[in-house]
PDB file of all heavy atoms in Angstrom:
ATOM      1  N   TRP A 110      14.652   3.025  12.487  1.00  0.00           N
ATOM      2  CA  TRP A 110      15.915   2.304  12.050  1.00  0.00           C
ATOM      3  C   TRP A 110      15.845   0.821  12.535  1.00  0.00           C
ATOM      4  O   TRP A 110      16.779   0.317  13.168  1.00  0.00           O
ATOM      5  CB  TRP A 110      17.177   3.028  12.577  1.00  0.00           C
ATOM      6  CG  TRP A 110      17.244   4.380  12.054  1.00  0.00           C
ATOM      7  CD1 TRP A 110      16.849   5.497  12.763  1.00  0.00           C
ATOM      8  CD2 TRP A 110      17.874   4.840  10.813  1.00  0.00           C
ATOM      9  NE1 TRP A 110      17.132   6.706  11.962  1.00  0.00           N
ATOM     10  CE2 TRP A 110      17.768   6.283  10.835  1.00  0.00           C
ATOM     11  CE3 TRP A 110      18.412   4.223   9.788  1.00  0.00           C
ATOM     12  CZ2 TRP A 110      18.167   7.042   9.696  1.00  0.00           C
ATOM     13  CZ3 TRP A 110      18.905   4.966   8.697  1.00  0.00           C
ATOM     14  CH2 TRP A 110      18.717   6.318   8.656  1.00  0.00           C
ATOM     15  N   PRO A 111      14.690   0.069  12.222  1.00  0.00           N
ATOM     16  CA  PRO A 111      14.528  -1.249  12.753  1.00  0.00           C
ATOM     17  C   PRO A 111      15.732  -2.201  12.296  1.00  0.00           C
ATOM     18  O   PRO A 111      16.017  -3.156  13.052  1.00  0.00           O
ATOM     19  CB  PRO A 111      13.218  -1.688  12.273  1.00  0.00           C
ATOM     20  CG  PRO A 111      13.011  -0.859  11.046  1.00  0.00           C
ATOM     21  CD  PRO A 111      13.622   0.512  11.279  1.00  0.00           C
ATOM     22  N   GLU A 112      16.187  -1.948  11.112  1.00  0.00           N
ATOM     23  CA  GLU A 112      17.265  -2.852  10.602  1.00  0.00           C
ATOM     24  C   GLU A 112      18.481  -2.936  11.561  1.00  0.00           C
ATOM     25  O   GLU A 112      19.169  -3.934  11.576  1.00  0.00           O
ATOM     26  CB  GLU A 112      17.614  -2.408   9.110  1.00  0.00           C
ATOM     27  CG  GLU A 112      18.109  -1.038   9.023  1.00  0.00           C
ATOM     28  CD  GLU A 112      17.054  -0.034   8.909  1.00  0.00           C
ATOM     29  OE1 GLU A 112      15.879  -0.225   9.036  1.00  0.00           O
ATOM     30  OE2 GLU A 112      17.477   1.205   8.802  1.00  0.00           O
ATOM     31  N   ASN A 113      18.732  -1.874  12.240  1.00  0.00           N
ATOM     32  CA  ASN A 113      19.890  -1.834  13.101  1.00  0.00           C
ATOM     33  C   ASN A 113      19.688  -2.686  14.354  1.00  0.00           C
ATOM     34  O   ASN A 113      20.631  -2.977  15.036  1.00  0.00           O
ATOM     35  CB  ASN A 113      20.275  -0.363  13.605  1.00  0.00           C
ATOM     36  CG  ASN A 113      20.746   0.425  12.439  1.00  0.00           C
ATOM     37  OD1 ASN A 113      20.884  -0.031  11.251  1.00  0.00           O
ATOM     38  ND2 ASN A 113      21.114   1.645  12.687  1.00  0.00           N
ATOM     39  N   ALA A 114      18.423  -3.040  14.690  1.00  0.00           N
ATOM     40  CA  ALA A 114      18.061  -3.926  15.807  1.00  0.00           C
ATOM     41  C   ALA A 114      17.764  -5.303  15.238  1.00  0.00           C
ATOM     42  O   ALA A 114      17.287  -6.129  16.075  1.00  0.00           O
ATOM     43  CB  ALA A 114      16.917  -3.364  16.554  1.00  0.00           C
ATOM     44  N   GLY A 115      18.080  -5.631  14.012  1.00  0.00           N
ATOM     45  CA  GLY A 115      17.820  -6.980  13.482  1.00  0.00           C
ATOM     46  C   GLY A 115      16.487  -7.111  12.776  1.00  0.00           C
ATOM     47  O   GLY A 115      16.212  -8.145  12.218  1.00  0.00           O
ATOM     48  N   GLY A 116      15.715  -6.072  12.780  1.00  0.00           N
ATOM     49  CA  GLY A 116      14.452  -6.096  12.070  1.00  0.00           C
ATOM     50  C   GLY A 116      13.313  -6.746  12.751  1.00  0.00           C
ATOM     51  O   GLY A 116      13.631  -7.527  13.682  1.00  0.00           O
ATOM     52  N   PHE A 117      12.157  -6.386  12.402  1.00  0.00           N
ATOM     53  CA  PHE A 117      10.928  -7.015  13.025  1.00  0.00           C
ATOM     54  C   PHE A 117       9.982  -7.503  11.954  1.00  0.00           C
ATOM     55  O   PHE A 117       8.845  -8.050  12.390  1.00  0.00           O
ATOM     56  CB  PHE A 117      10.238  -5.829  13.834  1.00  0.00           C
ATOM     57  CG  PHE A 117      11.116  -5.361  14.905  1.00  0.00           C
ATOM     58  CD1 PHE A 117      11.940  -4.237  14.739  1.00  0.00           C
ATOM     59  CD2 PHE A 117      11.188  -5.986  16.127  1.00  0.00           C
ATOM     60  CE1 PHE A 117      12.743  -3.714  15.709  1.00  0.00           C
ATOM     61  CE2 PHE A 117      12.091  -5.470  17.169  1.00  0.00           C
ATOM     62  CZ  PHE A 117      12.865  -4.349  16.863  1.00  0.00           C
ATOM     63  N   ALA A 118      10.312  -7.415  10.744  1.00  0.00           N
ATOM     64  CA  ALA A 118       9.340  -7.846   9.590  1.00  0.00           C
ATOM     65  C   ALA A 118       8.883  -9.321   9.806  1.00  0.00           C
ATOM     66  O   ALA A 118       7.724  -9.690   9.287  1.00  0.00           O
ATOM     67  CB  ALA A 118       9.898  -7.574   8.259  1.00  0.00           C
ATOM     68  N   HIS A 119       9.685 -10.083  10.440  1.00  0.00           N
ATOM     69  CA  HIS A 119       9.363 -11.451  10.585  1.00  0.00           C
ATOM     70  C   HIS A 119       8.140 -11.765  11.654  1.00  0.00           C
ATOM     71  O   HIS A 119       7.604 -12.863  11.702  1.00  0.00           O
ATOM     72  CB  HIS A 119      10.568 -12.308  11.006  1.00  0.00           C
ATOM     73  CG  HIS A 119      11.101 -11.873  12.331  1.00  0.00           C
ATOM     74  ND1 HIS A 119      11.865 -10.781  12.473  1.00  0.00           N
ATOM     75  CD2 HIS A 119      10.923 -12.484  13.581  1.00  0.00           C
ATOM     76  CE1 HIS A 119      12.178 -10.609  13.735  1.00  0.00           C
ATOM     77  NE2 HIS A 119      11.628 -11.592  14.465  1.00  0.00           N
ATOM     78  N   GLU A 120       7.861 -10.690  12.398  1.00  0.00           N
ATOM     79  CA  GLU A 120       6.809 -10.798  13.405  1.00  0.00           C
ATOM     80  C   GLU A 120       5.469 -10.557  12.759  1.00  0.00           C
ATOM     81  O   GLU A 120       5.377  -9.528  11.958  1.00  0.00           O
ATOM     82  CB  GLU A 120       7.129  -9.789  14.547  1.00  0.00           C
ATOM     83  CG  GLU A 120       8.353 -10.038  15.298  1.00  0.00           C
ATOM     84  CD  GLU A 120       8.530  -9.190  16.411  1.00  0.00           C
ATOM     85  OE1 GLU A 120       7.510  -8.518  16.933  1.00  0.00           O
ATOM     86  OE2 GLU A 120       9.707  -8.981  16.966  1.00  0.00           O
ATOM     87  N   PRO A 121       4.472 -11.380  13.074  1.00  0.00           N
ATOM     88  CA  PRO A 121       3.190 -11.173  12.476  1.00  0.00           C
ATOM     89  C   PRO A 121       2.567  -9.826  12.767  1.00  0.00           C
ATOM     90  O   PRO A 121       1.687  -9.399  12.135  1.00  0.00           O
ATOM     91  CB  PRO A 121       2.321 -12.355  12.961  1.00  0.00           C
ATOM     92  CG  PRO A 121       3.054 -13.020  14.014  1.00  0.00           C
ATOM     93  CD  PRO A 121       4.516 -12.543  13.965  1.00  0.00           C
ATOM     94  N   GLY A 122       2.904  -9.222  13.935  1.00  0.00           N
ATOM     95  CA  GLY A 122       2.367  -7.909  14.349  1.00  0.00           C
ATOM     96  C   GLY A 122       3.094  -6.744  13.887  1.00  0.00           C
ATOM     97  O   GLY A 122       2.914  -5.619  14.401  1.00  0.00           O
ATOM     98  N   CYS A 123       3.987  -6.951  12.924  1.00  0.00           N
ATOM     99  CA  CYS A 123       4.757  -5.858  12.404  1.00  0.00           C
ATOM    100  C   CYS A 123       4.179  -5.166  11.248  1.00  0.00           C
ATOM    101  O   CYS A 123       3.764  -5.871  10.235  1.00  0.00           O
ATOM    102  CB  CYS A 123       6.203  -6.337  12.070  1.00  0.00           C
ATOM    103  SG  CYS A 123       7.312  -5.041  11.444  1.00  0.00           S
ATOM    104  N   LEU A 124       4.067  -3.903  11.276  1.00  0.00           N
ATOM    105  CA  LEU A 124       3.691  -3.080  10.177  1.00  0.00           C
ATOM    106  C   LEU A 124       4.948  -2.294   9.726  1.00  0.00           C
ATOM    107  O   LEU A 124       5.421  -1.340  10.485  1.00  0.00           O
ATOM    108  CB  LEU A 124       2.612  -2.134  10.603  1.00  0.00           C
ATOM    109  CG  LEU A 124       1.972  -1.220   9.511  1.00  0.00           C
ATOM    110  CD1 LEU A 124       1.154  -2.036   8.492  1.00  0.00           C
ATOM    111  CD2 LEU A 124       1.085  -0.137  10.197  1.00  0.00           C
ATOM    112  N   SER A 125       5.475  -2.622   8.551  1.00  0.00           N
ATOM    113  CA  SER A 125       6.679  -1.997   8.099  1.00  0.00           C
ATOM    114  C   SER A 125       6.278  -0.837   7.216  1.00  0.00           C
ATOM    115  O   SER A 125       5.509  -0.950   6.290  1.00  0.00           O
ATOM    116  CB  SER A 125       7.546  -2.951   7.315  1.00  0.00           C
ATOM    117  OG  SER A 125       7.945  -4.084   8.166  1.00  0.00           O
ATOM    118  N   ILE A 126       6.894   0.304   7.554  1.00  0.00           N
ATOM    119  CA  ILE A 126       6.549   1.531   6.751  1.00  0.00           C
ATOM    120  C   ILE A 126       7.877   2.148   6.413  1.00  0.00           C
ATOM    121  O   ILE A 126       8.738   2.498   7.162  1.00  0.00           O
ATOM    122  CB  ILE A 126       5.752   2.594   7.672  1.00  0.00           C
ATOM    123  CG1 ILE A 126       4.476   1.980   8.052  1.00  0.00           C
ATOM    124  CG2 ILE A 126       5.532   3.826   6.828  1.00  0.00           C
ATOM    125  CD1 ILE A 126       3.604   2.809   8.964  1.00  0.00           C
ATOM    126  N   THR A 127       8.059   2.367   5.034  1.00  0.00           N
ATOM    127  CA  THR A 127       9.248   3.047   4.533  1.00  0.00           C
ATOM    128  C   THR A 127       8.753   4.384   4.036  1.00  0.00           C
ATOM    129  O   THR A 127       7.870   4.517   3.240  1.00  0.00           O
ATOM    130  CB  THR A 127       9.801   2.316   3.330  1.00  0.00           C
ATOM    131  OG1 THR A 127      10.252   0.931   3.793  1.00  0.00           O
ATOM    132  CG2 THR A 127      11.101   2.960   2.808  1.00  0.00           C
ATOM    133  N   LEU A 128       9.397   5.401   4.630  1.00  0.00           N
ATOM    134  CA  LEU A 128       9.133   6.781   4.304  1.00  0.00           C
ATOM    135  C   LEU A 128      10.106   7.346   3.320  1.00  0.00           C
ATOM    136  O   LEU A 128      11.386   7.175   3.467  1.00  0.00           O
ATOM    137  CB  LEU A 128       9.055   7.732   5.479  1.00  0.00           C
ATOM    138  CG  LEU A 128       7.896   7.357   6.496  1.00  0.00           C
ATOM    139  CD1 LEU A 128       8.147   8.036   7.803  1.00  0.00           C
ATOM    140  CD2 LEU A 128       6.580   7.799   5.919  1.00  0.00           C
ATOM    141  N   GLU A 129       9.664   7.968   2.193  1.00  0.00           N
ATOM    142  CA  GLU A 129      10.486   8.596   1.226  1.00  0.00           C
ATOM    143  C   GLU A 129      10.001  10.029   0.956  1.00  0.00           C
ATOM    144  O   GLU A 129       8.863  10.334   1.057  1.00  0.00           O
ATOM    145  CB  GLU A 129      10.396   7.804  -0.053  1.00  0.00           C
ATOM    146  CG  GLU A 129      10.798   6.362   0.030  1.00  0.00           C
ATOM    147  CD  GLU A 129      10.624   5.475  -1.244  1.00  0.00           C
ATOM    148  OE1 GLU A 129       9.960   6.001  -2.229  1.00  0.00           O
ATOM    149  OE2 GLU A 129      11.080   4.390  -1.309  1.00  0.00           O
ATOM    150  N   THR A 130      10.980  10.849   0.700  1.00  0.00           N
ATOM    151  CA  THR A 130      10.581  12.235   0.267  1.00  0.00           C
ATOM    152  C   THR A 130       9.917  12.298  -1.087  1.00  0.00           C
ATOM    153  O   THR A 130      10.372  11.497  -1.985  1.00  0.00           O
ATOM    154  CB  THR A 130      11.803  13.203   0.351  1.00  0.00           C
ATOM    155  OG1 THR A 130      12.737  12.626  -0.482  1.00  0.00           O
ATOM    156  CG2 THR A 130      12.284  13.341   1.730  1.00  0.00           C
ATOM    157  N   ALA A 131       8.966  13.066  -1.272  1.00  0.00           N
ATOM    158  CA  ALA A 131       8.304  13.263  -2.548  1.00  0.00           C
ATOM    159  C   ALA A 131       7.887  14.667  -2.709  1.00  0.00           C
ATOM    160  O   ALA A 131       6.941  15.122  -2.221  1.00  0.00           O
ATOM    161  CB  ALA A 131       7.077  12.276  -2.677  1.00  0.00           C
ATOM    162  N   GLY A 132       8.734  15.431  -3.485  1.00  0.00           N
ATOM    163  CA  GLY A 132       8.543  16.898  -3.561  1.00  0.00           C
ATOM    164  C   GLY A 132       8.770  17.485  -2.244  1.00  0.00           C
ATOM    165  O   GLY A 132       9.723  17.268  -1.553  1.00  0.00           O
TER     166      GLY A 132
END
Side-chain angles (χ1 to χ4, degrees):
W110 301 95
E112 58 279 2
N113 291 3
F117 301 92
H119 63 281
E120 296 184 21
C123 183
L124 183 69
S125 296
I126 301 173
T127 301
L128 293 164
E129 299 175 351
T130 56

